């Protein structure tokens, strides 16, 4: 059994930071203690760097199968481990869509062969696959995904009777994309009449408006309360929506939870002038006031999880006119460095970053033995150097699509090492040829 001994680490875990050594034996953390010695272990001296649990990203689009010109499981999971993400949950809007158990298992087979990071997938609910969803074992995958507003992939679920039946017929977490389709269509028609297809990008957050988001998310929450379903609302983008969520009970007791994405914490509508369609996402990046309210809700625990909604598109596609430019952007390589930048700026503590990016996704989805630096847990670990400034450029971007909305940005923190199940998958810009990722298992 291979052994690795990480010496002189500052461990960030469960709302504390403490200095210790970590002994990894095989795939798991076997011991956390001061001054561990083991003659058989390979030693990595962290030299006072910070060791975090591997990040768990509950929302990515890796584009395989069917859209692999944008990215695939291998390329995007490779970028993920470069950014300290050791586990991902991939979305169902691929081609074909992941809306049958057969297609779900085909994705797992693909990931087993090619993924650098631990993996699970969300099963897509549609207007007509309720019977298939009922057959899905609650431990088969990370959960169910419903697009209650249309986005990339056209998996809109708009039959309210079907939506209620889905809410009543699964024990799994139901993750939702919430934007009201009727509101968006009416807004889009108005601006198309004025501008044709070349609508100025500054109108994107007006077309995909606060009202569209709030109408849909509030309706989903009311339905969850009515049915008792376990609801997780993806990618909040408005301050108004944050008031729909509770912070007076622990996460483990919540039936309704929320997520915010990196781009909604980083950008605002003033950035459309310089970034254009590169920051076109659904839901849209909105005002600085919305961003401030998202931060407030994140820090006071109304928002439970930080994710990426990583969605690579080719730069050529993103350069199209408004109605043809796809929404989404690549983020997994830069999500943790971006949040560490916000730590340097005084927005958030290291402990809170770990809570929202590592602990809480593990709790929320009931993932077995991941998300914490604990003895007996899988050794999914990240070593971060908080004093290693670097700039995002074409030369160091790992995404298959070859671009990032952060190009030109400087980060004060870098990821030096990423371990996946005890295996050193990434070290200072170099990737292991060996892959050691696993399918997620759950405590349900």
């Amino acid at each position: 059994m291979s052994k690795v001994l990480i010496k002189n680490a500052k461990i960030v875990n469960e709302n504390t930071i403490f200095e210790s050594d970590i002994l990894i034996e095989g795939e798991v953390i076997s011991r956390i203690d001061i001054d561990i010695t083991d003659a058989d272990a390979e030693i990595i001296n962290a030299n006072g760097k910070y060791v975090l649990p591997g990040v768990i990203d509950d929302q990515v689009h890796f584009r395989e199968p069917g859209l692999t010109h944008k990215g695939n499981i291998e390329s995007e999971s490779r970028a993920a481990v470069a950014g300290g993400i050791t586990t991902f949950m991939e979305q169902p809007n691929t081609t074909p869509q992941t809306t049958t158990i057969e297609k779900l298992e085909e994705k797992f087979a693909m990931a087993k062969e090619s993924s650098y990071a631990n993996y699970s997938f969300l099963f897509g609910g549609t207007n007509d696959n309720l019977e298939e969803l009922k057959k899905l074992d609650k431990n088969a995958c990370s959960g169910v995904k419903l697009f209650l507003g249309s986005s990339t992939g056209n998996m809109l679920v708009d039959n309210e009777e079907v939506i209620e039946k889905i809410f009543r017929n699964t024990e799994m977490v139901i993750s939702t994309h919430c934007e009201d389709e009727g509101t968006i269509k009416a807004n889009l028609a108005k601006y198309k009449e004025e501008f044709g297809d070349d609508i100025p990008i500054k109108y994107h957050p007006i077309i995909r408006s606060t009202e569209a988001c709030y109408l849909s998310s509030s309706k989903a929450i009311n339905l969850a309360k009515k049915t008792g379903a376990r609801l997780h609302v993806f990618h909040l983008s408005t301050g108004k929506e944050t008031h729909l969520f509770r912070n007076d009970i622990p996460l483990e007791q919540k039936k309704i939870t929320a997520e915010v994405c990196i781009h909604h914490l980083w950008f605002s509508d003033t950035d459309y002038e310089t970034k254009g369609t590169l920051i076109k996402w659904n839901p849209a990046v909105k005002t600085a006031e919305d961003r401030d309210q998202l931060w407030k809700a994140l820090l006071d625990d109304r928002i439970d999880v930080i994710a990426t909604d990583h969605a690579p598109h080719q730069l050529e596609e993103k350069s199209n006119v408004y109605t043809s430019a796809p929404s989404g952007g690549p983020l997994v390589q830069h999500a943790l460095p971006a949040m560490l930048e916000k730590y340097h700026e005084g927005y958030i503590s290291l402990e809170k970053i770990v809570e929202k990016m590592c602990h809480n996704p593990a709790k929320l989805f009931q993932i077995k033995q991941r998300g914490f630096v604990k003895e007996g847990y899988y050794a999914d670990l990240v070593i971060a150097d908080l004093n290693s400034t670097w700039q995002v450029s074409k030369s160091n971007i790992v995404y298959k699509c070859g671009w990032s909305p952060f190009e030109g940005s400087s980060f004060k923190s870098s990821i030096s090492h990423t371990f996946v199940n005890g295996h050193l998958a990434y070290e200072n810009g170099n990737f292991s040829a060996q892959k050691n990722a696993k399918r997620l298992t759950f405590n349900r």
Side-chain angles (χ1 to χ4, degrees), residues 93-155:
N93 55 330
T94 46
T95 304
Q97 298 165 348
T98 317
T99 55
T100 67
I101 294 170
E102 179 186 9
K103 294 305 176 189
L104 177 66
E105 290 302 325
E106 285 177 7
K107 267 196 180 179
F108 276 113
M110 292 173 197
K112 184 178 181 180
E113 294 299 317
S114 63
S115 186
Y116 282 83
N118 303 311
Y119 50 88
S120 193
F121 299 93
L122 277 77
F123 183 89
T126 70
N127 283 329
D128 55 11
N129 74 339
L130 177 62
E131 293 308 312
E132 186 78 355
L133 190 150
K134 287 179 180 179
K135 300 174 191 173
L136 186 65
D137 184 271
K138 67 180 179 181
N139 289 300
C141 65
S142 47
V144 174
K145 172 69 177 288
L146 297 182
F147 288 89
L148 303 182
S150 65
S151 189
T152 304
N154 192 27
M155 285 187 64

Side-chain angles (χ1 to χ4, degrees), residues 57-105:
D57 191 344
D58 75 357
Q59 189 187 181
V60 304
H61 303 263
F62 282 177
R63 304 305 189 195
E64 187 176 2
L67 301 165
T68 52
H69 62 287
K70 302 172 188 279
N72 56 44
I73 292 170
E74 182 171 30
S75 67
E76 306 314 285
S77 67
R78 191 168 175 264
V81 299
I85 293 171
T86 57
T87 298
F88 65 84
M89 301 178 198
E90 212 261 352
Q91 303 304 299
N93 55 330
T94 46
T95 304
Q97 298 165 348
T98 317
T99 55
T100 67
I101 294 170
E102 179 186 9
K103 294 305 176 189
L104 177 66
E105 290 302 325

